């Protein structure tokens, strides 16, 4: 599990022009892990007596672009080392109430891993065990979700295997 240094920037409610790269087309493995993350997120919401979240394609693209960016530029944070923030990315896309969870596996899982188990691990053992991430998952006002997962088989430059971004909005 990779811990974030600061969980205070996981969400906000509220404009800045920025250039965000288009996301890659997820591989079958990345898509399967993302689907499992949505599944386990909705299971946790149901346990809390909340409605399931609907997948929003634009949120999923934003999430995928951020996961790609973290993998390709070797960082793990809500805010890019190039100066743009999570809030700026979301506002630019037209979302003014949103939250974001990020997670990474530290070589625990390889590309032969069961995607369902990887998704369950990220939701249940990383995010649900973290108060800030858990709050985003079970926040009643959120109705939509987008998940993007990037996988890095070659860990010579970056230590993470799976890098997941989860976006929420109303």
């Amino acid at each position: 599990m990779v811990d974030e240094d600061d969980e205070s920037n996981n969400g906000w409610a509220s404009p800045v022009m920025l250039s965000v790269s288009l996301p890659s087309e997820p591989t079958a493995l990345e898509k399967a892990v993302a689907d499992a993350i949505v599944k386990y997120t909705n299971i946790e919401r149901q346990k809390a007596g909340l409605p399931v979240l609907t997948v929003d394609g634009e949120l999923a693209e934003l999430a995928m672009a951020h996961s790609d960016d973290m993998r390709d530029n070797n960082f793990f944070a809500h805010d890019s080392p190039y100066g743009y923030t999570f809030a700026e990315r979301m506002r630019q896309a037209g979302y003014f109430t949103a939250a974001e969870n990020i997670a990474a596996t530290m070589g625990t899982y390889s590309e032969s891993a069961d995607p369902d188990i990887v998704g369950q691990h990220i939701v249940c053992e990383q995010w649900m065990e973290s108060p800030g991430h858990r709050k985003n998952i079970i926040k009643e006002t959120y109705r939509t979700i987008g998940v993007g997962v990037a996988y890095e088989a070659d860990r010579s430059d970056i230590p993470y295997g799976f890098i997941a971004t989860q976006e929420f909005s109303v």
Side-chain angles (χ1 to χ4, degrees):
M1 178 172 150
V2 179
D3 291 326
E4 291 180 61
D5 294 332
D6 179 8
E7 287 188 24
S8 68
N9 60 355
N10 288 355
W12 100 107
S14 124
V16 175
M17 293 299 291
L18 61 120
S19 176
V20 177
S21 300
L22 292 175
S24 66
E25 184 64 34
T27 65
L29 175 63
E30 292 166 338
K31 172 104 175 72
V33 172
D35 289 346
I37 288 171
V38 171
K39 171 184 153 182
Y40 287 104
T41 297
N42 279 328
I43 287 170
E44 293 298 332
R45 287 180 62 83
Q46 288 175 312
K47 286 181 192 177
L50 298 171
V52 298
L53 299 168
T54 302
V55 174
D56 176 308
E58 189 170 0
L59 282 177
E61 286 185 9
L62 289 167
M64 189 70 219
H66 190 60
S67 291
D68 284 344
D69 191 24
M70 287 189 288
R71 178 196 57 211
D72 298 345
N73 294 296
N74 197 15
F75 73 97
F76 182 73
H78 294 284
D79 299 338
S80 161
Y82 317 109
Y84 62 85
T85 68
F86 155 66
E88 290 168 343
R89 284 187 284 117
M90 297 305 283
R91 286 180 190 140
Q92 181 69 32
Y95 295 92
F96 295 92
T97 300
E100 176 176 82
N101 288 343
I102 59 174
T105 62
M106 293 292 289
T108 309
Y109 300 102
S110 70
E111 56 197 312
S112 63
D114 181 335
D116 193 71
I117 291 172
V118 176
Q120 182 182 33
H121 167 80
I122 290 170
V123 173
C124 300
E125 296 174 32
Q126 290 191 22
W127 289 332
M128 289 304 287
E129 296 297 319
S130 161
H133 296 98
R134 184 180 196 285
K135 179 180 174 184
N136 288 339
I137 289 172
I138 61 170
K139 188 166 183 170
E140 190 172 349
T141 56
Y142 295 134
R143 296 286 181 252
T144 59
I145 187 173
V147 176
V149 174
Y151 179 72
E152 180 57 60
D154 174 10
R155 304 219 177 88
S156 58
D157 291 329
I158 187 168
Y160 315 122
F162 290 94
I163 303 168
T165 303
Q166 186 179 49
E167 310 287 12
F168 301 92
S169 192
V170 294

